[in-house]
Amino acid sequence: MLRTPLRSEGIAGPHVSLHVIPAETGLHVGLSGPFNLARGADGGWVGHMEHQIDGLVVDGDHEVATLLARWEMIRNRALPRRQSIDLMKEVVTEWT
């Protein structure tokens, strides 16, 4: 399943941000659960959080600011984009 996305142009596209957090990082805020952030044509941000029963769209200033801050915390712990992609390719090669 991983090979197709890694080979697609989407990984290298300007609208995709892919960062791997190394296992040795340990506990971090990203383990609290998945979320997505999107910027609209008007420049405003919207967040979406998933959990086992439902999803939640957030667009309030405070909630979006919290998600943006968490994204920055996660990104600061992650490998740079190129290293993340290279690591994923290496793992896929090892697993196939």
Side-chain angles (χ1 to χ4, degrees):
M1 271 182 10
L2 282 176
R3 279 187 281 179
T4 301
L6 286 175
R7 291 183 182 154
S8 73
E9 291 301 313
I11 288 295
H15 303 294
V16 175
S17 187
L18 174 74
H19 300 274
V20 173
I21 299 176
E24 60 269 10
T25 298
L27 295 176
H28 57 84
V29 71
L31 296 173
S32 297
F35 64 91
N36 299 299
L37 289 163
R39 182 180 284 180
D42 64 354
W45 286 93
V46 175
H48 184 262
M49 300 180 298
E50 292 281 336
H51 56 83
Q52 291 182 351
I53 297 172
D54 202 356
L56 175 66
V57 174
V58 294
D59 58 2
D61 292 343
H62 177 73
E63 292 86 359
V64 169
T66 299
L67 290 180
L68 286 167
R70 289 182 182 179
W71 169 243
E72 287 302 319
M73 286 187 271
I74 292 166
R75 204 166 71 169
N76 286 336
R77 305 288 296 269
L79 296 173
R81 184 171 184 238
R82 174 66 6 214
Q83 286 179 344
S84 293
I85 292 169
D86 291 346
L87 178 59
M88 287 179 60
K89 287 179 180 179
E90 180 183 321
V91 170
V92 167
T93 300
E94 289 175 5
W95 288 0
T96 55

